[in-house]
Amino acid sequence: MLKFVACHAMSWGSGMRRMILLAVIFILIITATYAKESDQDETTFNDFTLNIGDRIDVGDYRTELIEIQSLKDGLAVMRVSKVGGALDEQRAFLQNSANDFNGGAEGDGITLTVTDILDDQSAKVRVEYKESLGTAKKRTSERASRAPDAPILSVQKSFDKNQIGVGDEVKVTVTVKNIGTGQATNIQAEDLPPLPEFSYIAGYPPKIKETLNPGESDSAVYVINAVKEGSIRVPAIQVSYTDSKKNLKSNNSEPFNILINPKDKAELVFSLRPSGPIIVDGTGSLNISLFNQGKAPATRVEVEGEIRPSEGLEAAGLDKSYFEILPGTDENYSVQLSGKKAGNYTVTLRADYQGGDGAAVQEGMTEVVVLEREYKYLYLLLIIPVLIIVAWSYKRYREYKY
Amino acid sequence: MLNVLMLGVGQCGNRIMDAVNKEAFGGGATSKLSKYCLKPKFPSRVETLAINTAINDLKELRFTTAKDRLHVPNLHGVGANRNVGKQAFMDNRDMIMGEIEKRGDFDLAFVITSTSGGTGSSFSPLLINELKRQYRNITVITVAVLPFREEGSIYLQNAAFSMRELMDLEADGIILADNQYMKRFSGDIASAYDKINSMIAQRLLFLIESLDSEMLSVTDLGDFKTVMNGGLRIGTLGFYQADRKNTSIRDAIENSLKPGNLLYPSNITDDAARAMIIVQGSREYLDTDEITKEVEKLSACAGHVFKGIVVKKGYPKVLSVFALAAAPELESIYAQAARAMQDEKEKRGRARKQLDDAFAHIEDLEEIY
Ligand SMILES: Nc1nc2c(ncn2[C@@H]2O[C@H](COP(=O)(O)OP(=O)(O)O)[C@@H](O)[C@H]2O)c(=O)[nH]1
Ligand SMILES: [Mg+2]
């Protein structure tokens, strides 16, 4: 292409030719500059999955994964050095943020980014560099061959429902999995169920195999019963184990929150309304109403009445039974009372029923007064003379008014 | 049992009769209350009737039932004019007598009136005549009240003429009460009236009770009539009530005869024609010997004396009834009345003469227009 341009230029006049030649040369220079840059200083990158101790070599740069500092926070520690000792730095890498060394990939150095932390043993690392440095290569460390000896147990605890009401049974599943590379022995799970909101029913304490090979898992199920409403924090399960070198290790599940809803139940209330004081040998009535102010139906309601003292006041039909009283409804009945002896009596009604969470009892009470027969006349003794006096005085007043 | 009719005629008569009713309720301050609860307690069957032409006088009464107040309608009242009063009675005679007749038969009637007013003094003589005509065997006693002397010439004149009319009647006697004489009991007129009225009422009730009593030594209506028929057929009443300090029956009798306890001023030893002494009290106070001695003492000057003894729980009470042979106080009223009438006549004549003298100035003149 250069020759073609030059041929072309020669077929023109000498002044013009000089101009064109200069321009062509200028263009050539620029193009050449560009060509040289894109050919020799192109940046490139590679992704590697590193286990702890693994290394990436790029040119004279050595990058080694030292430690996963925090799986949760996304922190991994790496050591970066350059052959010849100009750079040797150990640094914590925050996941997904680029770290430049010696000016980074844009300069003469490299740029490192932890793109993913796979577990507490491995991470994905991206290295960016100039092609001029050659090709990045992964060097598996010797320590990597010891990896099968590192058991890691992941621990999980879960409830079989996330809506729990008081009285509900909850199945708790505890799962322990060896996600490490070595055998875990002496596995001991220690679980504290949330008290006092729950009570144990069966399967507690959960039994986990004592030994788990890498990749193996075991789970245990136990059943508890929610007994109290409220929002509670379910504590973590703690698992301890030892690796082949008898190092004691432990792990735990994440604690979580759960809400226990109050249970729907029936709630019966009595209201007893006597018609008023009864006079000896007279009768009165007692109106009884049984209202279900709860949320669940009350079933097999048995009402039983009792009068104290047991002699002197009689009532027929205090006892009643209802198959069901729906929430928000009431049942009414009326009982005839007959007084035999003056005094104060207590009428107590007791309702036994099934109310959603088992048997329940409700009592209602009222006072009934039986008055001495004479009282009736005492009233009259008072009222009649007053009436007579008033009437008489008025009559007299009229007689003397002129 | 006596059937007694009590007629209060005119304001004075009405009020004395109201006092009788009050006394029947027990008298005193409590009677105001007892009016509303008790029945008036009369010793016999007593019917009371207040008669008046002035409705306001009837309204003033307190212890007389409404049906016992009889209003006699008369256009302008009677204005102390006895002639107008007589006309009003005659116009309403049937109505008045019918009202009395409704109350049944009577043995004894008291007609209570002032002698000096218009209504009472003119109605009473006519009323007494009618009663005598209608009830064959009735005894009619007039209770006549004499005026305060300073009340004026018309009252004096009325008293003089009505007393003459009352004495001319075929009635059975007059019991005199003199306001002038009893005025000394109290300062102001209103309370003097109340006091006088209750004195009269008390004596009348006691009298009725003793006439109707069936105890020990009895006085009856006949005895009373005999006493009242004596002398001028004018009498009066004396009364004494003993107390704890002195229960002597002798003293009580003597006290009842004292001028201070009489309704009309008279000197018993000189003026009494007949008398009746009625003694009441617990048996232990009624010493018969003492009573007899006292009665004999009185008989010496007063001619015949009836005695009655009523045993009733309490300190001795004595009522003395007199018929008088002389009434000097009454005579002086006539003298005063005559003088007052004479004065009035002269004054009128003088006034007329003065006016005539004044007329003399225009005697020969004609009206000029
Ligand atoms: N004792 C007494 N005298 C009375 C009473 N009221 C009026 N008088 C006298 O009665 C006279 C008048 O007569 P009154 O009865 O008022 O006239 P009448 O209503 O027209 O008959 C006067 O002399 C009064 O002093 C009274 O209450 N008691
Ligand atoms: Mg008057």
Side-chain angles (χ1 to χ4, degrees):
Chain A
M1 191 178 107
L2 197 63
K3 271 185 190 157
F4 166 76
V5 170
C7 290
H8 222 77
M10 276 201 265
S11 59
W12 295 80
S14 67
M16 190 66 175
R17 270 183 220 161
R18 265 182 83 98
M19 282 287 284
I20 292 170
L21 192 66
L22 274 171
V24 166
I25 289 166
F26 180 72
I27 291 169
L28 277 176
I29 289 167
I30 289 176
T31 313
T33 312
Y34 262 103
K36 188 189 169 198
E37 269 188 11
S38 53
D39 280 348
Q40 299 184 348
D41 287 330
E42 200 81 36
T43 54
T44 185
F45 70 87
N46 292 104
D47 288 336
F48 297 98
T49 298
L50 298 185
N51 283 319
I52 289 169
D54 288 355
R55 223 169 68 193
I56 305 168
D57 292 357
V58 167
D60 288 338
Y61 293 99
R62 307 282 179 267
T63 303
E64 184 185 346
L65 176 61
I66 302 297
E67 179 190 10
I68 302 298
Q69 193 173 321
S70 169
L71 197 66
K72 195 166 110 250
D73 299 335
L75 280 174
V77 177
M78 303 227 273
R79 180 176 173 182
V80 181
S81 59
K82 196 174 174 192
V83 178
L87 172 72
D88 191 355
E89 186 183 333
Q90 189 158 319
R91 199 191 274 189
F93 283 64
L94 186 62
Q95 190 173 336
N96 287 329
S97 63
N99 288 260
D100 291 342
F101 294 90
N102 272 3
E106 292 301 323
D108 291 337
I110 58 172
T111 298
L112 289 169
T113 309
V114 174
T115 55
D116 199 3
I117 297 177
L118 304 173
D119 51 45
D120 60 354
Q121 294 289 315
S122 54
K124 240 182 180 168
V125 178
R126 167 172 296 186
V127 56
E128 291 165 80
Y129 55 97
K130 291 264 169 52
E131 277 178 350
S132 58
L133 290 180
T135 312
K137 287 199 179 86
K138 176 179 164 184
R139 299 261 183 269
T140 307
S141 80
E142 280 129 56
R143 276 193 281 165
S145 62
R146 277 186 273 131
D149 248 358
I152 302 166
L153 296 188
S154 83
V155 188
Q156 263 184 353
K157 178 170 161 182
S158 62
F159 281 18
D160 66 339
K161 12 175 126 73
N162 32 27
Q163 288 277 330
I164 304 173
V166 171
D168 285 355
E169 281 184 4
V170 183
K171 252 189 217 149
V172 185
T173 307
V174 173
T175 308
V176 179
K177 184 175 183 186
N178 188 347
I179 54 166
T181 47
Q183 194 187 46
T185 53
N186 285 327
I187 300 172
Q188 281 182 337
E190 201 177 310
D191 188 21
L192 292 172
L195 290 174
E197 285 83 358
F198 289 93
S199 65
Y200 313 123
I201 291 192
Y204 187 87
K207 291 211 173 55
I208 300 291
K209 279 187 194 158
E210 278 200 8
T211 307
L212 284 177
N213 288 320
E216 233 182 346
S217 72
D218 189 21
S219 56
V221 174
Y222 62 95
V223 183
I224 53 176
N225 191 11
V227 292
K228 245 172 93 178
E229 59 181 276
S231 163
I232 54 155
R233 188 162 179 82
V234 180
I237 177 168
Q238 193 85 30
V239 175
S240 62
Y241 58 97
T242 51
D243 62 11
S244 55
K245 289 179 196 148
K246 301 276 177 263
N247 291 319
L248 186 64
K249 292 186 169 185
S250 72
N251 198 3
N252 56 268
S253 67
E254 295 292 316
F256 58 95
N257 289 321
I258 197 158
L259 186 71
I260 305 173
N261 297 313
K263 168 136 195 136
D264 285 351
K265 12 175 217 192
E267 202 180 336
L268 292 182
V269 281
F270 273 109
S271 98
L272 306 180
R273 289 179 306 276
S275 55
I278 300 169
I279 286 152
V280 169
D281 288 340
T283 60
S285 66
L286 175 64
N287 289 322
I288 299 161
S289 139
L290 195 49
F291 178 63
N292 183 355
Q293 64 177 22
K295 288 201 172 104
T299 53
R300 283 187 280 140
V301 183
E302 300 285 346
V303 181
E304 241 175 72
E306 194 189 23
I307 298 178
R308 260 168 209 288
S310 53
E311 236 132 81
L313 179 69
E314 285 172 10
L318 271 180
D319 300 353
K320 266 268 174 339
S321 65
Y322 299 100
F323 176 69
E324 185 179 53
I325 300 177
L326 294 173
T329 64
D330 57 359
E331 290 288 348
N332 296 289
Y333 64 105
S334 183
V335 170
Q336 180 162 42
L337 301 172
S338 43
K340 300 288 175 222
K341 222 174 84 191
N344 286 6
Y345 297 86
T346 311
V347 180
T348 310
L349 289 177
R350 183 189 146 105
D352 290 276
Y353 60 98
Q354 299 295 317
D357 63 344
V361 181
Q362 178 64 46
E363 279 195 345
M365 206 187 264
T366 189
E367 287 264 302
V368 174
V369 179
V370 177
L371 294 176
E372 213 56 80
R373 183 191 269 287
E374 279 82 354
Y375 286 142
K376 205 160 106 184
Y377 297 105
L378 273 185
Y379 284 123
L380 295 183
L381 278 181
L382 253 160
I383 289 165
I384 287 177
V386 167
L387 285 181
I388 289 174
I389 287 167
V390 168
W392 176 267
S393 305
Y394 181 70
K395 186 180 148 255
R396 275 304 170 88
Y397 168 77
R398 289 301 303 261
E399 265 177 30
Y400 284 90
K401 171 112 184 93
Y402 182 79
Chain B
M1 169 113 105
L2 276 179
N3 293 305
V4 182
L5 176 66
M6 284 196 141
L7 300 173
V9 195
Q11 186 182 31
C12 175
N14 291 167
R15 296 182 59 181
I16 292 172
M17 210 203 65
D18 204 44
V20 169
N21 275 320
K22 178 179 176 179
E23 211 60 38
F25 278 120
T30 52
S31 38
K32 238 178 224 166
L33 256 179
S34 34
K35 177 172 96 177
Y36 286 100
C37 39
L38 303 176
K39 274 212 168 333
K41 220 177 85 201
F42 287 111
S44 310
R45 186 177 81 85
V46 176
E47 291 283 344
T48 60
L49 184 64
I51 303 171
N52 210 327
T53 50
I55 197 152
N56 283 336
D57 291 350
L58 290 172
K59 278 188 179 155
E60 211 183 272
L61 306 182
R62 290 286 164 270
F63 299 94
T64 307
T65 59
K67 73 169 176 45
D68 283 351
R69 304 183 207 186
L70 180 62
H71 179 225
V72 177
N74 195 59
L75 197 54
H76 300 294
V78 299
N81 185 332
R82 298 185 65 243
N83 292 329
V84 177
K86 285 177 184 167
Q87 189 58 49
F89 180 84
M90 292 320 287
D91 292 347
N92 296 283
R93 190 191 60 179
D94 294 346
M95 185 266 280
I96 296 168
M97 293 318 291
E99 198 62 41
I100 293 169
E101 235 173 298
K102 266 195 237 164
R103 287 163 167 72
D105 206 2
F106 296 104
D107 309 305
L108 174 61
F110 289 98
V111 177
I112 310 167
T113 179
S114 73
T115 53
S116 50
T119 308
S121 68
S122 58
F123 272 38
S124 298
L126 302 172
L127 188 59
I128 290 165
N129 271 338
E130 292 294 328
L131 285 174
K132 277 285 183 190
R133 230 161 36 108
Q134 202 143 343
Y135 299 93
R136 282 282 142 227
N137 297 313
I138 197 166
T139 303
V140 182
I141 301 293
T142 314
V143 177
V145 177
L146 298 175
F148 297 113
R149 305 297 183 263
E150 60 270 24
E151 274 181 309
S153 62
I154 294 190
Y155 275 10
L156 277 174
Q157 167 198 312
N158 281 350
F161 282 96
S162 70
M163 272 310 289
R164 191 178 66 186
E165 279 177 29
L166 288 171
M167 286 188 279
D168 286 347
L169 289 174
E170 281 297 305
D172 303 279
I174 300 171
I175 291 174
L176 273 185
D178 193 348
N179 277 348
Q180 178 75 12
Y181 178 59
M182 290 185 283
K183 170 165 98 170
R184 65 185 187 283
F185 292 129
S186 198
D188 63 299
I189 296 244
S191 48
Y193 279 161
D194 285 345
K195 173 75 183 159
I196 295 167
N197 295 352
S198 74
M199 280 176 72
I200 299 172
Q202 198 178 29
R203 284 160 173 74
L204 289 179
L205 278 177
F206 192 103
L207 175 65
I208 294 170
E209 183 179 8
S210 51
L211 293 182
D212 211 12
S213 174
E214 285 149 23
M215 302 299 273
L216 267 173
S217 153
V218 207
T219 49
D220 59 18
L221 185 54
D223 299 343
F224 176 60
K225 246 172 116 170
T226 309
V227 172
M228 290 309 292
N229 267 315
L232 296 171
R233 284 212 230 156
I234 296 175
T236 191
L237 303 175
F239 181 75
Y240 184 79
Q241 176 159 16
D243 56 20
R244 190 165 43 84
K245 281 180 252 156
N246 183 4
T247 58
S248 150
I249 190 66
R250 205 192 62 181
D251 290 352
I253 294 174
E254 280 178 2
N255 278 328
S256 81
L257 303 174
K258 283 196 177 137
N261 290 321
L262 301 178
L263 296 180
Y264 168 80
S266 52
N267 187 341
I268 298 305
T269 42
D270 296 344
D271 300 341
R274 283 177 193 166
M276 179 157 95
I277 302 290
I278 302 156
V279 178
Q280 190 190 77
S282 302
R283 194 181 291 273
E284 68 258 35
Y285 303 129
L286 306 183
D287 182 333
T288 327
D289 285 351
E290 294 237 358
I291 296 170
T292 312
K293 237 186 266 167
E294 278 304 309
V295 168
E296 280 166 4
K297 217 158 75 186
L298 188 59
S299 306
C301 53
H304 191 83
V305 179
F306 292 90
K307 78 169 180 232
I309 299 173
V310 179
V311 177
K312 189 176 175 188
K313 203 168 171 306
Y315 297 118
K317 289 178 187 173
V318 180
L319 178 78
S320 46
V321 184
F322 303 98
L324 299 171
E329 190 57 38
L330 196 58
E331 285 160 30
S332 85
I333 283 190
Y334 279 88
Q336 280 180 50
R339 200 160 47 243
M341 284 161 75
Q342 194 61 41
D343 283 356
E344 180 114 354
K345 215 170 171 184
E346 275 170 21
K347 227 186 266 172
R348 251 191 223 190
R350 240 191 341 266
R352 183 69 215 186
K353 178 150 184 315
Q354 275 167 10
L355 208 51
D356 283 345
D357 290 351
F359 291 160
H361 292 294
I362 58 165
E363 194 154 338
D364 298 322
L365 299 179
E366 295 272 312
E367 287 122 305
I368 307 165
Y369 298 106

